[in-house]
C-alpha cells in the first residue's frame, strides 16, 4: 500500500469535504413516518427571502463562509443573537443564494463580503441547508484572506483528520489575528 | 413525509425524501432503491455536492478527506 503523503508536504491548499455518502437506504412506506431521514418537510428547506436594512456604520450581525475558492456556495456561519439578522430569521446553516439579484452560488468570498458591506438595503434569498455545517473549509488561498475561519462541526473525526484540523485551526487563528473580520 | 414532488415532476413509482440535514433524495418503490439524482433530469437537487458544468450529466465531483477529488455517478 502506498504511504500517504504527509499533510505538511501538500503543495496546494487542502480543502476537506465529507466523503461521498449514499442516500438513505430504501425502507417500506409504512416505516417512513418515523424515520428521521425520510419524514422531513421539504418546505423547511425551501428558499426564502430575508430583507435587512443597514443604517450607516451599523453591523448586520452575521458571518459568512465559503465561496468560489472552496468550491462551495456562501453559507451563514454565525448569527449574532438579537441582531437585525437574527430578528429577520437568518440562521446558521443558511446558504445565501443571491443578494440584491447578484448570484451568490458561484462567487468569490471577497466579492460577497464587498457586496454585503456596501449595500444599504439587502434583499437576500437564502435556504436552510444544515448539511453545510459538516463541511470543513480551510481558507489557505490568498484570495481567502479575511474569510471566516470557523471550522465545521463534524462530530466524529478519525485521528488523521483530527490532527489536520487542529493544525489548520492554529493557522486560522494566526490568520484571523491579522486579517480583517468578515462580520457584517 | 416523502411525497411526489409534483404530479408531473416524478415518474410512476418515484417519490422523494428529505434528510434531516436538508439533502433531497429520490425513492423508487418499484426497484426498492434510492438515489441523489432526479429521475427525470439526472441532476441532484440538493445533495451537498457542487455540480460542475464540465462533467457529463449525472456526474458530480466530491472530495476525499485527503483533498483528492473523485467523481460520482
Amino acid at each position: 500500500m502506498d504511504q500517504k503523503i504527509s499533510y505538511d508536504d501538500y503543495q496546494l491548499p487542502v480543502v476537506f469535504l465529507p466523503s461521498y455518502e449514499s442516500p438513505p437506504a430504501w425502507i417500506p412506506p409504512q416505516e417512513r413516518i418515523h424515520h428521521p431521514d425520510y419524514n422531513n418537510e421539504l418546505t423547511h428547506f425551501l428558499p426564502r427571502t430575508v430583507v435587512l436594512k443597514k443604517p450607516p456604520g451599523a453591523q448586520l450581525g452575521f458571518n459568512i463562509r465559503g465561496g468560489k475558492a472552496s468550491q462551495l456556495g456562501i453559507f451563514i456561519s454565525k448569527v449574532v443573537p438579537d441582531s437585525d439578522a437574527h430578528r429577520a430569521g437568518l440562521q446558521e446553516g443558511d446558504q445565501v443564494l443571491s443578494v440584491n439579484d447578484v448570484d451568490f452560488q458561484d462567487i468569490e468570498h471577497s466579492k460577497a463580503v464587498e457586496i454585503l458591506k456596501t449595500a444599504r438595503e439587502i434583499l437576500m434569498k437564502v435556504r436552510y441547508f444544515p448539511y453545510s455545517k459538516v463541511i470543513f473549509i480551510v481558507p489557505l488561498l490568498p484570495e481567502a484572506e479575511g474569510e471566516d475561519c470557523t471550522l465545521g462541526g463534524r462530530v466524529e473525526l478519525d485521528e488523521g483528520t483530527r490532527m489536520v484540523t487542529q493544525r489548520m485551526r492554529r493557522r486560522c487563528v494566526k490568520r484571523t489575528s491579522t486579517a480583517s473580520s468578515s462580520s457584517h | 413525509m416523502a411525497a411526489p414532488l409534483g404530479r408531473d415532476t416524478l415518474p410512476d413509482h418515484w417519490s422523494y425524501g428529505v434528510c434531516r440535514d436538508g439533502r433531497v433524495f429520490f425513492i423508487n418503490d418499484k426497484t426498492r432503491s434510492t438515489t441523489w439524482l432526479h429521475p427525470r433530469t439526472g441532476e441532484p437537487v440538493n445533495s451537498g455536492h457542487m455540480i460542475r458544468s464540465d462533467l457529463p450529466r449525472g456526474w458530480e465531483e466530491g472530495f476525499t478527506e485527503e483533498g483528492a477529488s473523485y467523481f460520482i455517478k
Side-chain angles (χ1 to χ4, degrees):
Chain A
M1 174 177 286
D2 292 336
Q3 186 177 359
K4 285 187 176 181
I5 300 173
S6 165
Y7 291 106
D8 289 331
D9 291 335
Y10 275 100
Q11 300 300 311
L12 297 174
V14 179
V15 176
F16 292 92
L17 293 171
S19 300
Y20 179 77
E21 296 176 21
S22 297
W26 186 91
I27 57 173
Q30 61 269 24
E31 296 179 14
R32 296 173 187 173
I33 193 168
H34 300 298
H35 196 288
D37 276 328
Y38 265 81
N39 63 352
N40 301 281
E41 290 294 332
L42 183 63
T43 52
H44 186 52
F45 304 100
L46 290 176
R48 66 189 195 278
T49 299
V50 174
V51 179
L52 297 169
K53 296 184 185 297
K54 185 184 175 187
Q59 297 290 326
L60 286 176
F62 62 89
N63 287 11
I64 61 170
R65 65 172 177 160
K68 193 169 185 177
S70 309
Q71 299 190 48
L72 295 168
I74 299 289
F75 293 89
I76 303 298
S77 60
K78 178 183 177 182
V79 178
V80 177
D82 296 326
S83 63
D84 288 341
H86 184 255
R87 285 186 286 272
L90 201 63
Q91 59 189 331
E92 181 185 354
D94 279 340
Q95 179 184 5
V96 182
L97 301 174
S98 69
V99 171
N100 295 342
D101 293 326
V102 177
D103 185 6
F104 265 43
Q105 295 181 81
D106 191 30
I107 191 172
E108 298 287 354
H109 182 94
S110 56
K111 182 63 177 177
V113 170
E114 178 188 351
I115 291 172
L116 290 166
K117 281 189 170 181
T118 57
R120 289 298 181 86
E121 180 171 347
I122 293 176
L123 182 71
M124 192 183 319
K125 291 185 179 179
V126 300
R127 70 175 173 190
Y128 186 52
F129 191 54
Y131 181 69
S132 64
K133 297 178 184 178
V134 305
I135 299 171
F136 287 92
I137 304 169
V138 185
L140 300 180
L141 297 174
E143 60 264 33
E145 186 71 29
E147 191 169 322
D148 189 313
C149 285
T150 303
L151 293 179
R154 176 176 279 184
V155 175
E156 295 182 2
L157 301 174
D158 60 46
E159 182 178 355
T161 304
R162 185 179 302 108
M163 293 171 63
V164 172
T165 303
Q166 291 171 351
R167 181 162 57 249
M168 296 304 179
R169 188 183 300 273
R170 285 195 292 271
R171 295 192 194 184
C172 288
V173 170
K174 180 177 181 180
R175 180 181 293 270
T176 300
S177 66
T178 57
S180 61
S181 170
S182 287
S183 293
H184 313 294
Chain B
M1 175 64 75
L5 208 54
R7 179 176 294 274
D8 297 321
T9 302
L10 294 174
D12 291 342
H13 311 297
W14 285 89
S15 59
Y16 74 90
V18 184
C19 297
R20 74 195 88 181
D21 57 16
R23 292 182 287 172
V24 175
F25 65 101
F26 297 91
I27 309 157
N28 187 322
D29 286 318
K30 186 172 183 180
T31 61
R32 299 189 174 191
S33 63
T34 60
T35 177
W36 294 119
L37 306 181
H38 192 288
R40 286 197 187 278
T41 66
E43 299 284 350
V45 170
N46 202 33
S47 67
H49 295 97
M50 178 172 279
I51 301 169
R52 282 183 47 174
S53 58
D54 57 341
L55 290 177
R57 169 173 284 192
W59 289 81
E60 294 178 280
E61 183 180 21
F63 292 89
T64 70
E65 291 187 355
E66 288 75 30
S69 64
Y70 60 89
F71 298 94
I72 308 155
K73 179 167 175 61

